[in-house]
């Protein structure tokens, strides 16, 4: 250990000064990712006072962040003991965390680009207990970080003597081609766009599109054009926006999941991802609570699925959930294979014929169609009173489309129980699957509205540590049967759920 | 299960006390609102006083809700029934209980009552709250749950 000082008396280790860079960058990134909401205010300020005041404000802000990072790194102490990690942190209020390795959920090694030349990495240790117990050891020498990671991995599996994970079997890698598909089929760009809209509306007028200049760009006579031409132009603009959004989403996917590689290690999975800053994620097999296989309409075009292994979820203040390992854009066979590796006794093919899934009551469909009918009625009255002659026809078309969509949703919704495992299928165009080991269910609820009571129907909810699985509108005897089966699995032969 | 579980009702005095408290609160709000309308607000507002006929609904709802709430301690799990219109049953297996809290507010202390809050993993919020138990019953259930958890 070159970079760490060791105090003789207490054996506490300290972090390298480079950790300040990591913590500062982390804080700034956190502020920037939340900044979309702050941006309008910031722009409002810049508008008022030229550039001097804002640049001073930004300078002071960055200085404060670096100072904070410096102080917290100076105060930070950690101690690697037999089977646990002791951490002392906090600037004014010092908190001591005693993290037992048996409670560790994830260990990730983060390798930001600015640490590459220095041979440093950051080690993030997440506890299964609570999100407060996350420990970040920033700017460790990479061999030291690897040593800690292996120590944790070994103490979690007592018998493990030498887990050479470099030799571990590579399950799947993702090429840029796959990531492009993932980017197209995951619509994170909506968020980016919403942020831009907020920023744009607050920009000084000079920056906003000058309406007259905009009109001048348009071909002459556009204002005199017919409604059809207007619709066409609007359509083209919309398409352009969509293309930009998809491009953003693809870019995000390439950055986040670049060089993706999933390896099978002895007690679970290890994933490495990230084009610029690589990140290593370890997930223990036993900790996996649900496997979710998702496919939206774009993914359906490419016949791909996004598979995630979900663990205990702590919903972070920022809204992002931790404890999820996502394998982007895999083929149907691969998703079946991954599921069966993650849950060894699960039914081999989650993607089965429709007949093998139990459908929910038609009440699910009837309720939605009834509401749709009511809304159609109201809208029709309004359309007849106010709008042009073609409006009722358009309304009819839209209503029929929604009705067909609802019917398809109901047809796809179904569940199947095989031994210890529940598979729920849902979807509209693509198919989504949730596979859950029933013996890991935390609790069960049955719920009825007055209308459902009259028809003897019940919603059944199964709460897992990672998510809640809902089986809506089941006939009461069936709901009771499933609930009793789940309870018997949990109670008769208690098995560890994490 | 729904038909086989026999639910224990909450303590009668808890149900009555809760109803009385809601009634009293409703009355205070009603008196304050009526006084404001009569003496401060413009006269056209007085027709709105008809809404007062709805007020007995509040204590009634409280009564129905407390009366409907019940628990069942079974061999391997504990069940709670609640809800007047949206009726719900929550079933929590002993082996999945994370921790238990005994909750006693001023009302509970005065009436020798206690509430039990039971937590399972995965969500921050509690799985179920069983209010209005006799203190001794609550303590007995708690130790029973703790024992069952450890076996």
């Amino acid at each position: 250990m070159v970079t760490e000082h060791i105090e003789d008396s207490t054996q506490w280790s300290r972090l390298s000064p480079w950790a300040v860079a990591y913590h500062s960058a982390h804080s700034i990134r956190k502020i920037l990712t939340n900044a979309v909401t702050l941006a309008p205010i910031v722009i409002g300020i810049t508008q008022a006072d030229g550039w001097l005041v804002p640049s001073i404000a930004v300078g002071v802000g960055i200085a404060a962040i670096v100072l904070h990072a410096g102080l917290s790194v100076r105060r930070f102490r950690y101690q690697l003991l037999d089977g646990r990690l002791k951490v002392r942190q906090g600037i004014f209020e010092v908190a001591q965390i005693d993290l037992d390795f048996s409670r560790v959920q994830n260990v990730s090694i983060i390798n930001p680009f600015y640490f590459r030349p220095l041979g440093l990495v950051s080690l993030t240790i997440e506890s299964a207990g609570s999100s407060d117990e996350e420990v970040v050891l920033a700017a460790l020498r990479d061999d030291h970080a690897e040593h800690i990671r292996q120590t944790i991995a070994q103490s979690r599996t007592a018998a493990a003597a030498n887990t050479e994970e470099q030799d571990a079997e590579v399950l799947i890698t993702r090429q840029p081609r796959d990531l492009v598909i993932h980017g197209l089929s995951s619509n994170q760009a909506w968020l980016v766009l919403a942020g831009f809209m907020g920023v744009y509306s607050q920009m000084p007028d000079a920056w906003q599109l000058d309406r007259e200049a905009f009109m001048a760009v348009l071909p002459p006579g556009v204002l005199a054009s017919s409604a059809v031409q207007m619709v066409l132009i609007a359509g083209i603009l919309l398409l352009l926006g969509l293309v930009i959004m998809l491009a953003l989403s693809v870019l995000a996917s390439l950055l986040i999941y670049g060089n993706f590689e999933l390896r099978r290690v002895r007690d679970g999975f290890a994933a490495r991802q990230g084009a610029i800053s690589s990140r290593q994620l370890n997930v223990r097999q036993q900790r996996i609570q649900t496997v979710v296989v998702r496919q939206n309409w774009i993914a359906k075009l490419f016949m791909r699925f996004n598979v995630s292994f979900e663990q205990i979820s702590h919903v972070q203040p920022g809204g992002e959930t931790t404890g999820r390992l996502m394998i982007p854009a895999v083929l149907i066979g691969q998703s079946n294979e991954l599921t069966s590796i993650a849950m060894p006794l699960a039914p081999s093919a989650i993607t089965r014929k429709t007949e093998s899934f139990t459908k929910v009551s038609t009440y699910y469909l009837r309720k939605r169609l009834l509401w749709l009918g009511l809304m159609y009625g109201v809208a029709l009255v309004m359309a007849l009173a106010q709008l042009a002659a073609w409006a009722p026809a358009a309304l009819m078309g839209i209503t029929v489309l929604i009705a067909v969509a609802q019917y398809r949703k109901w047809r796809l919704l179904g569940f199947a129980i095989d031994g210890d495992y529940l598979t729920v299928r849902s979807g509209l165009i693509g198919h989504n699957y949730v596979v859950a080991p029933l013996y890991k269910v935390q609790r069960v609820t049955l719920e009825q509205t007055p209308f459902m009571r009259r028809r003897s129907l019940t919603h059944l909810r199964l709460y897992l540590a990672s998510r809640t699985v809902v089986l809506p509108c089941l006939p009461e005897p069936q709901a009771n049967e499933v609930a009793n089966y789940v309870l018997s699995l949990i109670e008769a032969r208690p098995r560890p759920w994490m | 299960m729904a038909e086989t579980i026999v639910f224990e009702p909450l303590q009668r005095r808890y149900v009555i006390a809760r109803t009385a408290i809601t009634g009293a609160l409703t009355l205070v709000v009603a008196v304050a609102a009526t006084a404001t309308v009569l003496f401060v607000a413009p006269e056209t507002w007085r027709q709105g006083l008809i809404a007062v006929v709805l007020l007995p609904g509040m204590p009634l709802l409280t009564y129905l809700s407390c009366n409907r709430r019940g628990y069942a301690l079974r061999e391997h799990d504990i069940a709670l029934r609640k809800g007047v219109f949206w009726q719900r049953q929550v079933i929590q297996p002993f082996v999945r209980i994370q921790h238990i809290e005994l909750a006693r507010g001023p009302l509970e202390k005065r009436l020798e009552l206690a509430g039990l809050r039971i937590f399972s993993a995965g969500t921050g919020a509690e799985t179920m709250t069983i209010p209005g138990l006799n203190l001794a019953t609550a303590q007995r259930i708690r130790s029973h749950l703790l024992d069952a958890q450890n076996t």
Side-chain angles (χ1 to χ4, degrees):
Chain A
M1 270 178 267
V2 185
T3 46
E4 285 97 30
H5 296 281
I6 295 179
E7 290 173 18
D8 298 327
S9 53
T10 51
Q11 293 290 310
W12 288 102
S13 309
R14 304 170 70 167
L15 294 177
S16 136
W18 289 107
V20 178
Y22 177 80
H23 282 296
S24 306
H26 188 73
S27 306
I28 289 173
R29 204 175 59 197
K30 223 159 132 188
I31 290 171
L32 284 184
T33 45
N34 291 327
V36 190
T37 46
L38 294 176
I41 305 171
V42 173
I43 286 169
I45 295 170
T46 56
Q47 209 176 348
D49 291 308
W51 287 105
L52 185 66
V53 177
S55 46
I56 290 173
V58 169
V60 169
I62 291 177
I65 289 169
V66 173
L67 187 74
H68 178 264
L71 281 176
S72 35
V73 168
R74 238 182 99 85
R75 290 279 177 159
F76 192 95
R77 302 275 189 285
Y78 71 95
Q79 203 171 2
L80 194 60
L81 298 166
D82 191 30
R84 66 207 168 92
L85 182 74
K86 245 184 185 177
V87 170
R88 243 183 225 176
Q89 60 184 3
I91 297 173
F92 299 113
E93 205 174 300
V94 177
Q96 181 161 324
I97 299 175
D98 236 318
L99 189 61
D100 198 291
F101 289 158
S102 64
R103 280 189 299 130
V104 168
Q105 171 154 283
N106 289 327
V107 181
S108 21
I109 292 179
I110 301 160
N111 188 1
F113 63 92
Y114 47 85
F115 276 173
R116 293 253 170 99
L118 302 165
L120 298 175
V121 295
S122 291
L123 190 74
T124 309
I125 305 168
E126 282 168 35
S127 140
S130 83
S131 53
D132 297 338
E133 285 188 318
E134 189 184 284
V135 172
V136 181
L137 301 177
L140 299 180
R141 285 241 324 270
D142 49 7
D143 50 347
H144 185 48
E146 184 59 30
H147 167 74
I148 295 180
R149 198 183 61 74
Q150 285 200 3
T151 312
I152 294 174
Q154 280 172 17
S155 71
R156 292 200 301 202
T157 50
N162 47 355
T163 37
E164 274 305 307
E165 290 178 3
Q166 266 61 40
D167 304 337
E169 176 197 359
V170 173
L171 286 176
I172 197 165
T173 57
R174 300 282 78 192
Q175 304 306 317
R177 213 182 78 116
D178 305 312
L179 297 180
V180 170
I181 295 174
H182 174 71
L184 290 176
S185 61
S186 71
N187 34 19
Q188 284 163 0
W190 289 108
L191 295 173
V192 181
L193 197 77
F196 278 141
M197 294 295 265
V199 174
Y200 180 76
S201 66
Q202 289 294 315
M203 277 189 194
D205 287 341
W207 296 5
Q208 292 204 359
L209 276 179
D210 186 343
R211 245 170 241 114
E212 284 172 22
F214 181 67
M215 288 302 178
V217 171
L218 294 177
V222 76
L223 290 178
S225 57
S226 67
V228 175
Q229 282 169 319
M230 285 292 211
V231 168
L232 221 65
I233 290 171
I236 290 169
L237 287 179
L238 206 71
L239 209 67
L240 205 69
L242 203 70
V243 167
I244 292 172
M245 268 174 34
L246 287 178
L248 283 176
S249 188
V250 167
L251 190 69
S253 164
L254 284 170
L255 287 179
I256 298 170
Y257 295 105
N259 304 321
F260 185 92
E261 184 186 271
L262 181 73
R263 279 174 294 129
R264 183 88 171 104
V265 292
R266 232 175 29 77
D267 65 341
F269 300 89
R272 207 189 51 209
Q273 64 188 43
I276 297 174
S277 296
S278 96
R279 189 181 158 84
Q280 186 173 331
L281 233 101
N282 282 52
V283 172
R284 284 179 78 190
Q285 176 139 16
Q286 218 186 13
R287 294 271 155 89
I288 296 174
Q289 302 288 320
T290 38
V291 174
V292 175
V293 181
R294 269 213 195 83
Q295 181 188 48
N296 68 359
W297 65 273
I298 299 178
K300 169 116 178 168
L301 280 181
F302 293 102
M303 301 197 293
R304 298 298 180 106
F305 293 89
N306 295 322
V307 177
S308 356
F309 297 163
E310 295 181 330
Q311 298 174 280
I312 303 173
S313 65
H314 303 301
V315 179
Q316 301 279 314
E320 56 175 321
T321 48
T322 59
R324 213 171 105 202
L325 173 63
M326 158 90 103
I327 305 134
V330 298
L331 291 165
I332 190 166
Q334 294 169 320
S335 70
N336 280 334
E337 199 182 331
L338 286 169
T339 310
S340 63
I341 294 171
M343 299 189 166
L345 295 171
S348 54
I350 49 165
T351 47
R352 284 170 287 185
K353 286 203 188 89
T354 301
E355 291 80 61
S356 57
F357 287 100
T358 309
K359 280 212 262 303
V360 305
S361 157
T362 52
Y363 174 77
Y364 178 87
L365 178 63
R366 280 184 285 141
K367 188 177 84 179
R368 279 160 180 75
L369 290 184
L370 189 71
W371 276 112
L372 184 66
L374 276 176
M375 283 192 290
Y376 172 68
V378 173
L380 187 66
V381 170
M382 281 158 62
L384 286 176
Q386 302 283 333
L387 292 171
W390 53 268
L395 197 63
M396 190 69 213
I398 293 169
T399 309
V400 167
L401 213 64
I402 298 175
V404 170
Q406 292 295 354
Y407 173 73
R408 188 168 158 83
K409 260 175 90 172
W410 171 75
R411 265 204 49 96
L412 281 181
L413 186 62
F415 67 95
I417 295 175
D418 311 80
D420 288 347
Y421 292 90
L422 169 75
T423 310
V424 179
R425 185 181 71 169
S426 62
L428 176 57
I429 296 174
H431 295 188
N432 304 322
Y433 301 88
V434 177
V435 185
L438 288 170
Y439 61 90
K440 290 190 177 182
V441 166
Q442 298 285 329
R443 65 178 188 269
V444 177
T445 69
L446 296 156
E447 198 177 318
Q448 281 182 323
T449 64
F451 298 106
M452 293 170 69
R453 201 151 45 243
R454 218 173 302 154
R455 295 174 176 80
S456 293
L457 296 170
T458 307
H459 296 313
L460 176 65
R461 274 176 230 268
L462 305 172
Y463 290 81
L464 286 122
S466 56
R467 63 163 54 227
T468 306
V469 180
V470 187
L471 304 177
C473 302
L474 299 185
E476 220 171 271
Q478 193 181 23
N480 287 332
E481 192 192 331
V482 174
N484 281 334
Y485 177 67
V486 174
L487 290 171
S488 74
L489 279 181
I490 303 166
E491 293 165 354
R493 190 159 54 95
R495 278 175 277 180
W497 60 273
M498 63 164 265
Chain B
M1 151 193 351
E3 62 275 21
T4 51
I5 299 182
V6 183
F7 287 95
E8 299 271 337
L10 305 183
Q11 284 299 311
R12 202 69 202 152
R13 58 184 192 280
Y14 174 79
V15 178
I16 292 166
R18 277 297 301 272
T19 311
I21 288 173
T22 312
L25 280 177
T26 312
L27 198 67
V28 169
V29 172
V31 168
T34 311
T36 315
V37 169
L38 284 184
F39 300 115
V40 183
E43 279 197 15
T44 45
W45 285 35
R46 292 198 181 170
Q47 296 152 2
L49 283 180
I50 283 191
V52 169
V53 299
L54 294 176
L55 286 176
M58 296 293 291
L60 184 69
L61 265 181
T62 309
Y63 175 78
L64 288 176
S65 157
C66 288
N67 204 33
R68 165 101 194 138
R69 205 175 265 240
Y71 69 97
L73 197 60
R74 307 197 299 171
E75 194 184 348
H76 296 294
D77 50 40
I78 183 161
L80 176 79
R81 181 182 64 179
K82 66 179 182 185
V84 179
F85 299 110
W86 275 261
Q87 296 184 352
R88 195 172 341 167
Q89 285 176 32
V90 187
I91 301 161
Q92 174 68 62
F94 295 152
V95 287
R96 294 284 180 269
I97 291 175
Q98 196 86 349
H99 74 276
I100 307 162
E101 271 179 29
L102 206 62
R104 300 187 74 196
L107 173 73
E108 280 85 357
K109 277 185 187 154
R110 187 162 283 252
L111 293 176
E112 279 293 302
L113 293 170
L116 264 186
R117 301 173 68 195
I118 298 169
F119 296 76
S120 72
T123 48
E126 71 257 36
T127 301
M128 57 166 85
T129 306
I130 310 173
L133 298 170
N134 270 328
L135 182 58
T137 317
Q139 280 163 346
R140 188 172 51 76
I141 293 176
R142 181 175 65 168
S143 58
H144 180 75
L145 295 184
L146 289 173
D147 285 349
Q149 211 181 357
N150 293 329
T151 49

